[in-house]
Amino acid sequence: MQTQAGTRAALRFQAFPSFINRAPLPFVISFPPTRRHVRVRCSAAADGGSIGGNPQPQVQQRKAYPFDAIEPRWQRYWEENRTFRTPDEVDTSKPKCYILDMFPYPSGAGLHVGHPLGYTATDILSRYKRMKGFNVLHPMGWDAFGLPAEQYAIETGTHPKVTTKRNIERFRSQLKSLGFSYDWDRELSTTDPEYYKWTQWIFLQLFKKGLAYQAEIPVNWCPALGTVLANEEVVNGVSERGGHPVVRKPMRQWILKITAYADRLLEDLDDLDWPESIKEMQRNWIGRSEGAELEFGIVDSQGYEQGLKLSVYTTRPDTIFGATFLVVAPEHPLLSSLTTEAQHEKVEHYRELSSKKSDLERTDLQKEKTGVFSGSYAMNPATRETIPIWIADYVLGSYGTGAIMAVPAHDSRDYAFALKYDIPIIRVVSPTGRSDDDSEPYVDDGIMINSSNLLSGLNINGLSCNDAVSKVIDWLESTDHGIKKVNYKLRDWLFARQRYWGEPFPVVYLDDSGKVVPLQENELPLVLPDLDDFNPTGTGEPPLAKATSWVNTVDPVSGRHARRETNTMPQWAGSCWYYLRFMDPKNPTALVDKDKERYWSPVDIYVGGAEHSVLHLLYARFWHKVLYDIGVVSTKEPFQCLINQGLILGEIEYTTFRDQEGRLVSADSVGITDNHFQERIPAEKVMKVGDFYVIKDNPSIRIVARAYKMSKSRGNVINPDDVVSEYGADSLRLYEMFMGPLRDSKTWSTGGIEGVHRFLARTWRLIVGPPLPDGSYNCGTIATDDEPTLDQLRSLHRCIAKVSEEIQETRFNTGISAMMEFVNAAYKWDKHPKSILEPFVLLLSPFAPHMAEELWSRMGHQESLAYEQFPEAENEFLKDSSIVLPVQINGKTRGTILVDEACSEDDAFRLASEDEKLSKYISERMIKKRIYVPGRILNVILDHHKLQESSAL
């Protein structure tokens, strides 16, 4: 707004943009002749009190700034104007950025302050990319099927869909209260039939390709929960949820053949911008190995063949001469044939004990090895010696062939087992090539020893391990004792749950033959029927079996009687492909439009917890590759860049110890087995001395200070609603980003959020001005139309450069620090030009969008800043042109000052006069003259006569 100095003008315009459903307010803007501030007075307070209506008297605590009025106002604006909606048809000539949070499960507890950490990060990136001219896709939805809602239904009788709807509404409300810029028009839920129609469609494609099949396999069956659990859901023989007993039970299950994609899942990891640790976890989970599959003939104790052969897989065929026994898994299909009558009772007892353990427990390297002799023997084809066959649960039926050749001299598990059961240990690899006697298993490469036999015709003595592997495999294949084999730890995906609240399988079984018949695609979705009783049947039959009118049906193609599948899909199903539906959420005829998929794929930035580093990501990648093969998607991978945010731990807890007599005991003298009582004490009674925490009143007593993961059981959950109520959403957002690097775990501190809240309040007062006597604020800003100084431009552009870089590198905490430095510098200025403050508000907006929108509006803008151009740093203001200028007094150097290269003589003299060291030499009335050579020196010549008079006085 331009005006001549010395004139006064009054202009009238609306106090707030037209989106606010209230009468516009008259502003009077005055331009005093001495200073060109934009002084704004309005007829209503800016703290949210009575805009456009009769003021209502309110008695409330004065806040640091009026966030409680600002934040709801701008949230209403964004929602009413659909500010962050991504149009169905976008300008595809513009660059795109698809930024996605991992699908949340809407639990009944709602959010705690740990959840918004990743959501705030993606929101900052989304807002930044919009302001950089990108088409941004930033949606939100709900992974809402799952066991918790079904368990709650069993306990309370409330239908899962009622609970789920209520939980979603709470989650949505909480997310909106934090100002996240999601495109809510694309919101979806996995429980919506129009969504799971396409989950069912994908299953049909898997079935058609032979990637979905049925098999009877041992599963983790939990009778109390009435469902099969994944290995990760079983801890110490009980269910992770509820602590119910779990047993291994053979059941016919749907399985997805993810192993068919094992090599591609491995190879394509190399091209992804993911944390290396996550890629390594996926590689280890897939577990590709090269080795050999050998056949051992079954013999009796006298060495006579029994007409059976046992296949084993090994990655170390070079150690075949050291194989002194075989081990089969308790669930091996040949177990009954291998077990002699004398050993039958012992084997059955051991198998029952093993059925109560999860795979993770069974393969724990630290646990004591257990086993039982089968009563049978096998012939080692290399040594031609008879070796015993044992059953042990450290071998899994689902890996390899379910049997191993045990080489105790060169495998730690086999070694422990052999020692326990007094089985021979034969060393066949030596680091030196000599038969030294080492009591510990040697697991590294070396030179082969004790490895030849005339009867078998195999001699590998003296060879390196690598050469021996090749020679043994050649020998195995030439003698029909085995073949070269690639194996994987990865197992096919168990894809069925005995629960109600999940996607129905789109298949039927013909009554007369049991044949599986897939539904026609035009019959989708197969909608989940309503049930009143969700309790497990106790027989293994899922709750859906109770919906008899739904279960009993007719095959529409043949007209024959049929039954529907009563298992449902696991919770993983809906979250395997949701990122695709967000691209085209309302499409009734296709999973996703091809053109939209080609434009938006892949997801550019995917943010979520590291706890999903294996299963969710692996399953989603598998489905994506299947969809790629059938032409639904155009990219080989779904998520190009993955970011794992750290945990936010609860506030530090301080714990003291007392002995049986109630006396305080220092934490450093408490032993693991000591019987002491623990006692929590408040932070105000604690102080830190060196690296330790002690009791203030008794510093000789050390205490334990530790932060724990937030949980209801510990009572350390911080509700974001409470934080927003007291400090505002912008403060919560800013604090979560300021706590430390995004990827690190951090400890919550209420004192920390108070610090960033003060920063926002200082920012508010810097731009709006101090509060009026009644606590309200003027409705405009104190920004002036003055030309900015060089120092102001440098402060601004350094801040722009730093914030821009840190947003792109997701170092949000240091970006916030740069803005804090700018505000500190700005408080020292006499004038605050609008041309400086406006870009700063734009810098602030991704982090604190509510305050930024309000400030932007107060500066006279009628539209949201969401799509304003993000400021660009200009190089000319980034150069450090400061120099060290020597200052002389009467020709003698007395100190230096830091000045700009273009510093004037007056400015240089002023800086010298303000310098603590130099000021004692300088007094205006004693100066005879000043000699200033720009960039070189300032010499102050004092008047000796006046100096002497001053000394005499």
Side-chain angles (χ1 to χ4, degrees):
M1 193 178 298
Q2 301 295 322
T3 182
Q4 293 183 349
T7 66
R8 299 181 62 86
L11 302 175
R12 301 177 73 82
F13 67 100
Q14 290 185 0
F16 296 100
S18 57
F19 63 83
I20 296 181
N21 297 321
R22 297 184 176 95
L25 303 175
F27 274 52
V28 178
I29 304 171
S30 304
F31 299 97
T34 57
R35 191 174 178 185
R36 290 184 294 170
H37 280 294
V38 181
R39 294 288 186 186
V40 183
R41 299 193 307 273
C42 66
S43 58
D47 60 0
S50 173
I51 298 179
N54 294 325
Q56 299 296 320
Q58 296 180 353
V59 179
Q60 59 183 10
Q61 183 179 358
R62 181 175 295 183
K63 298 184 182 294
Y65 74 96
F67 63 84
D68 54 333
I70 294 168
E71 292 179 353
R73 176 160 59 239
W74 286 100
Q75 288 165 17
R76 285 195 304 272
Y77 169 74
W78 295 328
E79 185 161 357
E80 291 168 5
N81 288 269
R82 299 160 78 194
T83 302
F84 306 112
R85 176 180 176 270
T86 303
D88 289 335
E89 303 297 332
V90 297
D91 180 0
T92 56
S93 66
K94 292 173 63 176
K96 66 92 179 178
C97 193
Y98 186 177
I99 301 174
L100 186 63
D101 296 294
M102 285 190 184
F103 226 15
Y105 175 77
S107 67
L111 298 175
H112 64 63
V113 293
H115 293 112
L117 180 65
Y119 302 156
T120 304
T122 57
D123 192 61
I124 291 171
L125 291 168
S126 298
R127 290 175 178 273
Y128 172 76
K129 288 292 187 180
R130 288 189 196 99
M131 298 173 78
K132 295 293 286 186
F134 283 71
N135 288 327
V136 172
L137 184 58
H138 187 42
M140 175 52 71
W142 317 105
D143 188 13
F145 274 131
L147 190 55
E150 186 162 346
Q151 283 301 111
Y152 185 79
I154 293 170
E155 295 163 8
T156 66
T158 307
H159 196 285
K161 68 182 178 184
V162 175
T163 306
T164 299
K165 182 175 183 293
R166 182 172 63 238
N167 293 350
I168 286 175
E169 288 172 352
R170 174 161 169 72
F171 259 67
R172 185 193 302 114
S173 172
Q174 288 183 298
L175 292 177
K176 286 186 176 181
S177 76
L178 294 172
F180 297 135
S181 61
Y182 294 121
D183 178 359
W184 288 106
D185 283 11
R186 293 175 184 260
E187 180 184 8
L188 53 83
S189 168
T190 54
T191 61
D192 181 356
E194 291 307 309
Y195 178 85
Y196 68 69
K197 165 185 177 179
W198 297 104
T199 308
Q200 294 171 336
W201 181 87
I202 294 172
F203 177 83
L204 291 179
Q205 312 316 306
L206 291 164
F207 183 79
K208 292 174 185 176
K209 286 179 64 66
L211 296 171
Y213 64 95
Q214 287 185 304
E216 189 165 282
I217 60 171
V219 297
N220 299 314
W221 169 250
C222 179
L225 296 178
T227 190
V228 171
L229 301 177
N231 289 329
E232 296 72 30
E233 297 172 306
V234 181
V235 180
N236 298 324
V238 298
S239 62
E240 185 179 34
R241 178 179 174 81
H244 303 294
V246 175
V247 296
R248 300 285 284 180
K249 175 180 177 180
M251 295 184 74
R252 193 160 185 80
Q253 299 285 306
W254 279 105
I255 300 170
L256 299 187
K257 199 171 183 179
I258 189 173
T259 52
Y261 283 74
D263 282 328
R264 288 167 63 182
L265 289 168
L266 266 178
E267 293 162 4
D268 293 343
L269 281 170
D270 294 339
D271 298 327
L272 297 177
D273 182 13
W274 287 17
E276 192 56 41
S277 60
I278 301 298
K279 292 200 277 189
E280 193 60 26
M281 288 174 72
Q282 292 225 342
R283 292 187 186 105
N284 291 337
W285 190 268
I286 296 167
R288 186 182 190 276
S289 62
E290 294 185 1
E293 189 169 288
L294 294 75
E295 287 192 338
F296 286 75
I298 307 303
V299 298
D300 62 16
S301 58
Q302 305 301 314
Y304 293 108
E305 294 184 2
Q306 301 296 299
L308 282 176
K309 290 188 177 181
L310 182 64
S311 295
V312 304
Y313 173 78
T314 178
T315 59
R316 293 292 304 273
D318 55 315
T319 62
I320 189 171
F321 284 94
T324 57
F325 63 105
L326 302 183
V327 181
V328 298
E331 59 273 15
H332 195 284
L334 290 180
L335 186 60
S336 59
S337 300
L338 296 173
T339 305
T340 63
E341 186 175 347
Q343 292 296 108
H344 178 75
E345 187 175 339
K346 292 180 181 179
V347 170
E348 284 303 307
H349 177 67
Y350 185 78
R351 186 156 68 169
E352 183 181 348
L353 292 176
S354 299
S355 72
K356 297 177 181 178
K357 300 178 184 179
S358 71
D359 288 358
L360 295 178
E361 292 176 271
R362 288 171 54 178
T363 55
D364 182 358
L365 294 176
Q366 304 304 316
K367 83 174 188 72
E368 183 182 1
K369 302 297 178 285
T370 62
V372 62
F373 177 46
S374 69
S376 293
Y377 298 85
M379 179 72 70
N380 184 324
T383 65
R384 308 300 296 169
E385 293 181 358
T386 299
I387 58 177
I389 302 173
W390 285 73
I391 299 107
D393 62 8
Y394 74 87
V395 175
L396 300 178
S398 55
Y399 177 66
T401 64
I404 65 165
M405 69 175 202
V407 185
H410 304 292
D411 182 276
S412 57
R413 295 182 307 170
D414 299 343
Y415 178 79
F417 193 92
L419 281 183
K420 182 173 180 177
Y421 294 105
D422 196 24
I423 301 173
I425 299 172
I426 300 174
R427 194 173 179 84
V428 294
V429 181
S430 168
T432 62
R434 295 191 298 270
S435 298
D436 46 350
D437 183 20
D438 194 328
S439 59
E440 292 298 318
Y442 178 73
V443 297
D444 294 325
D445 288 342
I447 305 300
M448 305 308 301
I449 59 174
N450 302 324
S451 298
S452 68
N453 184 277
L454 289 174
L455 291 176
S456 65
L458 179 62
N459 181 358
I460 53 176
N461 277 333
L463 296 181
S464 68
C465 287
N466 286 338
D467 290 342
V469 166
S470 299
K471 186 169 182 178
V472 170
I473 290 175
D474 289 343
W475 175 81
L476 288 170
E477 292 182 332
S478 66
T479 58
D480 293 329
H481 287 304
I483 57 172
K484 185 176 183 179
K485 189 74 177 286
V486 174
N487 212 349
Y488 302 89
K489 289 182 182 177
L490 178 68
R491 284 158 274 162
D492 282 342
W493 176 10
L494 177 60
F495 195 72
R497 296 290 185 269
Q498 288 64 49
R499 61 176 62 145
Y500 165 72
W501 194 232
E503 299 93 340
F505 281 93
V507 299
V508 297
Y509 301 89
L510 299 180
D511 282 355
D512 54 2
S513 65
K515 179 183 177 182
V516 179
V517 178
L519 295 185
Q520 300 297 305
E521 292 180 9
N522 60 10
E523 296 180 74
L524 303 181
L526 173 60
V527 178
L528 196 65
D530 282 333
L531 275 185
D532 296 324
D533 181 9
F534 315 103
N535 285 286
T537 60
T539 64
E541 276 279 288
L544 268 180
K546 301 174 183 180
T548 54
S549 62
W550 180 84
V551 172
N552 296 312
T553 185
V554 173
D555 174 25
V557 177
S558 66
R560 293 150 69 182
H561 289 290
R563 286 175 56 84
R564 298 196 191 279
E565 172 67 78
T566 53
N567 287 327
T568 53
M569 299 184 197
Q571 186 176 354
W572 303 105
S575 61
C576 277
W577 70 279
Y578 70 106
Y579 58 94
L580 294 170
R581 194 60 177 171
F582 277 139
M583 301 175 188
D584 193 15
K586 304 295 192 297
N587 193 328
T589 60
L591 184 150
V592 61
D593 177 80
K594 288 186 178 296
D595 290 337
K596 291 177 181 177
E597 185 278 327
R598 272 193 294 270
Y599 178 72
W600 286 114
S601 285
V603 175
D604 296 286
I605 301 172
Y606 195 36
V607 176
E611 65 271 19
H612 301 297
S613 57
V614 175
L615 296 184
H616 160 63
L617 291 171
L618 200 63
Y619 294 159
R621 293 179 62 223
F622 165 47
W623 276 32
H624 191 89
K625 291 181 184 302
V626 174
L627 294 173
Y628 176 79
D629 288 348
I630 64 176
V632 174
V633 299
S634 59
T635 63
K636 293 182 179 180
E637 288 287 335
F639 315 117
Q640 183 57 38
C641 173
L642 174 69
I643 298 173
N644 295 130
Q645 83 273 13
L647 291 174
I648 292 185
L649 305 174
E651 294 207 60
I652 293 177
E653 298 176 12
Y654 301 97
T655 305
T656 61
F657 298 88
R658 293 184 183 273
D659 62 19
Q660 295 296 312
E661 284 72 40
R663 293 172 300 208
L664 286 169
V665 180
S666 186
D668 56 335
S669 62
V670 175
I672 296 175
T673 59
D674 292 349
N675 190 13
H676 290 101
F677 301 105
Q678 296 185 14
E679 180 182 329
R680 292 260 300 269
I681 60 174
E684 56 267 22
K685 293 187 178 181
V686 174
M687 68 178 183
K688 191 172 186 182
V689 177
D691 294 331
F692 304 100
Y693 288 90
V694 299
I695 298 176
K696 279 184 181 178
D697 296 338
N698 191 352
S700 65
I701 301 296
R702 288 185 188 175
I703 64 173
V704 173
R706 180 180 171 186
Y708 296 86
K709 185 177 179 180
M710 289 188 186
S711 68
K712 287 191 292 184
S713 61
R714 288 204 70 85
N716 64 347
V717 172
I718 306 294
N719 189 328
D721 298 349
D722 298 334
V723 178
V724 170
S725 175
E726 186 169 356
Y727 298 102
D730 283 344
S731 292
L732 176 60
R733 292 167 57 107
L734 211 65
Y735 176 56
E736 297 218 350
M737 295 297 97
F738 191 60
M739 291 171 75
L742 176 64
R743 295 162 177 81
D744 292 356
S745 291
K746 299 161 278 285
T747 302
W748 179 268
S749 168
T750 301
I753 196 169
E754 289 171 351
V756 295
H757 187 62
R758 286 194 296 271
F759 161 68
L760 287 174
R762 292 188 76 225
T763 302
W764 175 262
R765 293 192 300 274
L766 172 72
I767 298 174
V768 174
L772 301 174
D774 64 355
S776 65
Y777 291 84
N778 282 319
C779 292
T781 69
I782 63 168
T784 72
D785 288 331
D786 291 281
E787 289 297 321
T789 66
L790 183 61
D791 179 56
Q792 290 171 333
L793 287 168
R794 284 180 176 158
S795 292
L796 172 66
H797 285 273
R798 286 171 185 161
C799 186
I800 292 171
K802 184 67 172 176
V803 171
S804 299
E805 178 184 353
E806 303 304 69
I807 288 178
Q808 293 178 77
E809 298 299 325
T810 65
R811 296 189 295 256
F812 304 115
N813 55 323
T814 47
I816 294 168
S817 295
M819 290 187 285
M820 289 178 170
E821 292 172 6
F822 174 87
V823 169
N824 288 339
Y827 261 93
K828 299 174 184 177
W829 302 339
D830 294 329
K831 301 176 182 179
H832 297 86
K834 189 176 181 181
S835 59
I836 296 294
L837 294 184
E838 279 193 342
F840 175 73
V841 169
L842 296 177
L843 288 182
L844 180 66
S845 64
F847 298 85
H850 305 89
M851 175 181 281
E853 289 274 24
E854 181 71 12
L855 295 174
W856 189 251
S857 172
R858 285 166 173 266
M859 289 176 171
H861 300 280
Q862 297 297 304
E863 300 294 333
S864 166
L865 53 65
Y867 295 92
E868 291 292 326
Q869 183 177 347
F870 200 81
E872 296 279 351
E874 296 181 21
N875 288 331
E876 63 179 296
F877 300 120
L878 299 178
K879 298 173 184 176
D880 189 0
S881 58
S882 299
I883 59 171
V884 176
L885 184 73
V887 178
Q888 294 183 342
I889 307 296
N890 290 335
K892 185 175 181 179
T893 301
R894 296 290 188 178
T896 60
I897 56 176
L898 193 66
V899 301
D900 190 82
E901 279 182 337
C903 182
S904 66
E905 180 180 335
D906 287 343
D907 284 341
F909 180 75
R910 176 180 56 79
L911 290 170
S913 302
E914 294 171 354
D915 183 84
E916 182 179 358
K917 183 178 178 181
L918 295 169
S919 60
K920 62 184 180 182
Y921 296 106
I922 300 173
S923 174
E924 285 282 0
R925 62 189 184 85
M926 297 179 187
I927 294 174
K928 185 174 182 179
K929 67 174 180 177
R930 300 186 312 217
I931 302 171
Y932 180 62
V933 180
R936 300 291 297 278
I937 197 167
L938 170 65
N939 189 4
V940 180
I941 307 299
L942 302 180
D943 188 318
H944 285 286
H945 179 68
K946 290 183 179 180
L947 190 61
Q948 289 172 355
E949 289 179 353
S950 175
S951 300
L953 292 174

